Amino acid sequence: MKKDLLHTPEGVRDIYSTECVEKKIIENKLHDVCRLYGYNDIQTPSIEYFDVFSKERGSVPSNEMFKLFDRYGNTLVLRPDMTPSIARAAAKYFEDHILPIKLCYVSNTFINVSKYYQGRLKENTVIGAELIDDASIDADYEIICMVIDCMKNAGLTEFQVELGNVAFFNGLLKDAGIKGDTYEELLNLINEKNYIGVEEILNNLNIDKNTAKVLLELPQLFGQAEVLDKARSLTNIPECIEAVDRLTNLYELLKINGYDKYVSFDLGELSNHTYYTGIIFHAFTFGTGEPIASGGRYDKLLGQFGCDKASIGFSLIIDRLMAAINRQNIEIEVEYSGVLLVYSEDKLQDAVKRANELRKDGINVCMIRKNNNKSESQYIEYAKASQLSDVVYI
């Protein structure tokens, strides 16, 4: 036997026993939130055409995708990002809908990251929701509330949702005439809070001094609600002012149910997913340096699939959430129910009859033939590991 085949490839892992049970419990808790808000499930295939996630769509970089070919020579990928998949499906099946579409999902995504470290897997289970064909701030508010409720329903008490608006950044760059590779470079540097790198690029560009000054300050425009007033005072570009006003109005809505205490603001909050057009956010908690949830408004993505509908959504990485829950020592209550039915060799018929009666009543039954070399305590441990509450002997 080849021992190396007992291990998984780098960046993926097996999940089993109690950990698997706890993960399913958290999945169900998060899914309950989506259902409570009236979202309906959708499943898209794990394998999609490469063009669904091409650079023009603004999704994951090509070198971070797992690629393969079908028998006709078409380039396929393991789905790296749920949003373009949902956008493609919505454009196909809901083009004629005249009211907003609310979809949710629990699926796996696959990203071929070059560096692997704890909390950064190549395969992740994600849960998310997409609100399609609604450009209103009410839709922004609903999605942010869902993210907060997901965090709370998972048992987290200390977390923060950082809100930004990429329209502020885009307004500055549009005014300065910055696009193409320079746009992407600035985006990455600001995302990394690299003040020196931003300054070096701007010094080499012939742009308005005030716009350059705002771009330099962008990595530092984060904090509580007062940062919005500061951002508004830095520029008179209409698109930028509208972006700040949108965040201000959203903040006022979040006060309705007291969810303003869970949010902060970051005008340098950007994303490598360049399909975002407006409100953008990341949710953080203790125990992981990576955001647990992220999302935003992508009003032009569906239009690339031939169905022009404004949309907003979020995606939460369950594997990252589980790591945070574990490191915060948050207990996940596992419900033990059902019966371990241990029967003697000559009592199989009686055991089957008893098991059938219990199963008709909706009781889980695990049957196992008695081994005289095993103690009663070992069967009790076996039942516990199988999430069964009782042991019955026949």
Side-chain angles (χ1 to χ4, degrees):
M1 178 188 293
K2 289 187 176 182
K3 289 290 185 181
D4 57 333
L5 294 182
L6 298 178
H7 302 283
T8 61
E10 182 184 78
V12 295
R13 61 188 291 263
D14 299 313
I15 300 174
Y16 56 95
S17 192
T18 302
E19 182 185 3
C20 192
V21 173
E22 290 178 347
K23 181 178 178 180
K24 294 300 295 184
I25 290 172
I26 293 299
E27 281 182 23
N28 291 334
K29 284 178 176 287
L30 301 179
H31 186 256
D32 286 346
V33 173
C34 296
R35 295 295 294 162
L36 285 170
Y37 276 80
Y39 284 68
N40 297 307
D41 288 291
I42 185 172
Q43 291 183 353
T44 60
S46 298
I47 299 174
E48 295 260 19
Y49 285 116
F50 169 74
D51 286 347
V52 172
F53 307 95
S54 65
K55 185 176 180 179
E56 292 72 27
R57 309 273 186 245
S59 184
V60 173
S62 174
N63 63 354
E64 292 186 1
M65 299 184 200
F66 287 98
K67 301 184 187 74
L68 60 155
F69 300 94
D70 66 11
R71 65 177 68 186
Y72 309 108
N74 296 308
T75 304
L76 311 176
V77 296
L78 287 176
R79 176 187 55 216
D81 177 12
M82 284 301 301
T83 300
S85 284
I86 300 296
R88 173 198 57 75
K92 180 178 180 180
Y93 301 113
F94 302 102
E95 182 179 7
D96 297 329
H97 278 232
I98 59 174
L99 291 173
I101 303 138
K102 298 187 177 187
L103 303 172
C104 64
Y105 57 83
V106 180
S107 300
N108 281 21
T109 57
F110 308 85
I111 301 182
N112 192 17
V113 288
S114 57
K115 55 183 178 179
Y116 168 60
Y117 52 92
Q118 190 173 17
R120 180 85 168 177
L121 297 170
K122 295 185 177 182
E123 179 183 13
N124 285 286
T125 303
V126 295
I127 185 167
E130 312 293 340
L131 177 44
I132 296 166
D133 203 13
D134 190 341
S136 71
I137 194 171
D138 300 11
D140 301 349
Y141 170 64
E142 177 165 297
I143 289 294
I144 299 300
C145 286
M146 289 178 70
V147 171
I148 293 171
D149 281 341
C150 280
M151 305 285 272
K152 292 173 63 179
N153 222 31
L156 299 179
T157 56
E158 297 185 65
F159 60 88
Q160 198 74 18
V161 180
E162 289 188 354
L163 298 175
N165 194 331
V166 296
F168 188 87
F169 174 70
N170 289 338
L172 292 171
L173 267 61
K174 182 179 178 181
D175 181 76
I178 299 173
K179 52 188 175 182
D181 292 341
T182 307
Y183 173 96
E184 292 184 13
E185 193 172 359
L186 271 173
L187 184 148
N188 291 331
L189 290 171
I190 291 173
N191 226 4
E192 296 167 1
K193 308 294 185 189
N194 188 337
Y195 183 86
I196 295 175
V198 173
E199 188 173 24
E200 285 181 0
I201 290 181
L202 295 177
N203 286 339
N204 294 322
L205 296 174
N206 183 25
I207 63 174
D208 178 78
K209 289 184 178 180
N210 187 64
T211 299
K213 179 183 176 183
V214 181
L215 283 168
L216 277 172
E217 292 201 32
L218 205 54
Q220 302 177 64
L221 287 177
F222 61 90
Q224 298 305 310
E226 55 269 16
V227 79
L228 299 179
D229 295 328
K230 182 178 179 181
R232 191 181 287 105
S233 69
L234 292 174
T235 179
N236 57 6
I237 299 172
E239 188 174 347
C240 297
I241 299 299
E242 289 175 12
V244 176
D245 288 345
R246 184 92 173 194
L247 287 170
T248 301
N249 294 335
L250 177 57
Y251 184 63
E252 291 303 315
L253 287 175
L254 288 166
K255 290 180 179 178
I256 295 173
N257 48 357
Y259 281 6
D260 56 305
K261 66 183 178 182
Y262 295 110
V263 303
S264 59
F265 298 91
D266 187 351
L267 273 300
E269 183 89 357
L270 303 172
S271 172
N272 292 327
H273 293 164
T274 55
Y275 49 66
Y276 289 124
T277 58
I279 294 292
I280 190 171
F281 54 86
H282 293 93
F284 295 90
T285 189
F286 302 106
T288 174
E290 299 282 327
I292 287 177
S294 60
R297 179 162 286 285
Y298 51 98
D299 289 345
K300 297 179 180 179
L301 182 59
L302 265 76
Q304 296 186 40
F305 294 100
C307 179
D308 196 16
K309 295 181 185 291
S311 305
I312 185 171
F314 77 89
S315 181
L316 188 151
I317 301 176
I318 295 176
D319 304 271
R320 234 174 249 174
L321 173 61
M322 293 299 297
I325 287 173
N326 181 57
R327 290 166 194 157
Q328 292 183 31
N329 296 316
I330 296 173
E331 184 177 350
I332 300 174
E333 291 187 13
V334 177
E335 182 179 340
Y336 291 86
S337 64
V339 172
L340 175 64
L341 195 56
V342 185
Y343 60 93
S344 303
E345 184 176 353
D346 59 343
K347 296 293 185 179
L348 174 60
Q349 187 172 338
D350 293 339
V352 169
K353 182 179 179 182
R354 180 70 181 277
N356 287 340
E357 291 172 351
L358 292 171
R359 287 169 183 154
K360 285 179 181 177
D361 292 333
I363 298 172
N364 301 333
V365 179
C366 173
M367 290 177 55
I368 187 170
R369 182 193 284 187
K370 191 175 190 310
N371 184 332
N372 291 327
N373 293 324
K374 304 298 179 184
S375 66
E376 185 174 328
S377 62
Q378 286 177 302
Y379 283 115
I380 292 173
E381 285 299 314
Y382 183 91
K384 185 178 179 181
S386 302
Q387 290 79 52
L388 301 168
S389 57
D390 299 301
V391 180
V392 174
Y393 296 91
I394 293 184

